[in-house]
Amino acid sequence: SNIFPPSQQQTLDILHILQEPSRLPTFIHCYAGCDRTGWICASWRVLNDGWTPAKAWQEALDMGMHSRYSFWWKYFFMKMWEN
């Protein structure tokens, strides 16, 4: 569903696939191209680029993630990366 963020396991599964060199370059897109796409791109930034979750989340918002998700999706995103 497009109202719920990807689960932690879904996120990690996608990131694992994206790390396979045979899959590069990769085009990431969801229905609108901004919310779940932003979630995955922000997760990539945290896992692979060493960004803080807060910085990655802000980039997702700056790049078009809908603000309606800025509170409850953000909670799950930060929780996922708090370790």
Side-chain angles (χ1 to χ4, degrees):
S1 169
N2 66 345
I3 64 166
F4 296 104
S7 70
Q8 183 174 15
Q9 189 59 56
Q10 288 170 325
T11 300
L12 295 175
D13 288 348
I14 292 167
L15 293 174
H16 178 76
I17 290 167
L18 294 175
Q19 289 176 320
E20 294 178 22
S22 64
R23 296 193 183 259
L24 298 175
T26 301
F27 180 74
I28 303 168
H29 206 284
C30 60
Y31 183 77
C34 53
D35 300 320
R36 286 163 292 164
T37 298
W39 178 281
I40 295 302
C41 291
S43 296
W44 179 271
R45 293 289 204 185
V46 173
L47 185 65
N48 293 291
D49 295 340
W51 285 26
T52 65
K55 181 179 178 183
W57 186 259
Q58 187 59 54
E59 181 187 54
L61 291 174
D62 292 345
M63 297 301 289
M65 181 180 274
H66 291 108
S67 61
R68 68 178 176 257
Y69 299 123
S70 64
F71 179 72
W72 70 283
W73 275 39
K74 181 179 181 180
Y75 170 81
F76 291 110
F77 185 80
M78 297 301 172
K79 191 87 172 143
M80 182 172 66
W81 295 110
E82 70 183 2
N83 294 336

